[in-house]
Amino acid sequence: MPDLIRSHAEPVSDPRASRRSFLKLAGLGGAVLVAAGCDSDSGNPNPDAINLDFSNDFGVLNYAYALEQLEAAFYATVVTSSSFSTTFNTDEQAVLRSIRKHEEIHREFLKAALGTNAIPGLTPNFDAVDFGNKSSVLGTAQVFEDLGVAAYNGAGKYISTSQAGRGYLTIAGKIVSVEGRHAAVIAGLITPNTIAASGIINSSGLDRALEPDVVLGMAGDFIVEDIRAINVPSLT
């Protein structure tokens, strides 16, 4: 089982290296990441909340960054739990450690790309999770992975068509494909010989795409801070 998603990559620790790697993977080479209007002056921002301004690409990237922070924190808590080795067998431990590495790398890529535009570090709230109970941990992991895939699918259309935006969309596609692999392997750990939870893939073979307000409403149960998407364009 762990060979399905085994990764030998270590979490990125040098922000400059993270930035270079992000640009390389995004296909931007040495392109400069330019803000597309970072000030939020509309959309009724809440001064007491972390506002993700979707009028520019940095708002979309911060949306992804917030979710990657949550996932990375969750898996870090899982694998460092005192009951980890007794709750999961050797193969399951390897899978969860691999996913942790991936999520940490995703988080650091996005943080590096955002630079000074990055939102603050978030405070996770995992009080509802019993880290000594396999069903509780895997059930939560499934929620996070399926939600992450749906979030990327739903937010891709809000990325601009600029050169930088095309690069962001490329890296988002590379990240969401990995998140989809995570979702599949977690589904298989919960119910052997399955690749997705019930209702996730429709009759046309397509995964879900959820809007930011829906995703943040669901993820908000696991985050102390109030996070809101503002200035989300109407594309219908």
Side-chain angles (χ1 to χ4, degrees):
M1 179 66 72
D3 289 337
L4 291 175
I5 60 168
R6 187 181 300 280
S7 169
H8 298 290
E10 294 298 331
V12 179
S13 58
D14 180 351
R16 292 170 300 178
S18 300
R19 181 183 175 87
R20 289 193 297 271
S21 298
F22 182 95
L23 292 171
K24 181 178 180 181
L25 287 174
L28 291 178
V32 177
L33 303 180
V34 181
C38 298
D39 293 332
S40 175
D41 57 2
S42 61
N44 299 317
N46 183 342
D48 298 320
I50 295 176
N51 295 294
L52 309 178
D53 188 354
F54 270 60
S55 67
N56 62 78
D57 286 337
F58 285 108
V60 185
L61 290 180
N62 266 314
Y63 173 56
Y65 177 46
L67 297 175
E68 297 296 348
Q69 283 193 56
L70 178 61
E71 290 184 299
F74 171 72
Y75 288 106
T77 305
V78 170
V79 304
T80 58
S81 168
S82 60
S83 58
F84 181 59
S85 61
T86 57
T87 302
F88 299 96
N89 64 38
T90 302
D91 286 352
E92 292 166 340
Q93 290 176 39
V95 167
L96 292 167
R97 287 193 179 101
S98 290
I99 296 178
R100 175 197 180 178
K101 290 180 181 180
H102 297 163
E103 302 297 5
E104 288 178 338
I105 291 169
H106 295 168
R107 179 194 65 201
E108 295 306 310
F109 275 157
L110 291 166
K111 181 179 181 180
L114 285 159
T116 58
N117 297 288
I119 60 173
L122 302 178
T123 309
N125 176 11
F126 300 132
D127 289 346
V129 184
D130 181 355
F131 288 95
N133 181 285
K134 182 182 294 189
S135 295
S136 180
V137 171
L138 294 181
T140 306
Q142 187 168 60
V143 169
F144 286 164
E145 297 300 344
D146 289 339
L147 189 63
V149 172
Y152 276 94
N153 289 344
K157 62 182 177 288
Y158 296 120
I159 297 176
S160 73
T161 57
S162 66
Q163 180 187 6
R166 291 194 297 271
Y168 299 148
L169 190 58
T170 297
I171 198 65
K174 292 181 177 182
I175 291 176
V176 73
S177 64
V178 175
E179 298 292 348
R181 295 172 193 267
H182 293 171
V185 77
I186 292 295
L189 291 180
I190 294 174
T191 307
N193 303 317
T194 62
I195 62 169
S198 177
I200 295 300
I201 300 175
N202 67 21
S203 59
S204 298
L206 302 178
D207 214 315
R208 297 183 305 169
L210 297 179
E211 289 300 306
D213 59 336
V214 176
V215 172
L216 293 175
M218 296 173 68
D221 291 338
F222 300 94
I223 302 172
V224 172
E225 292 82 6
D226 181 15
I227 305 178
R228 302 185 182 188
I230 63 171
N231 295 322
V232 179
S234 176
L235 302 179
T236 57

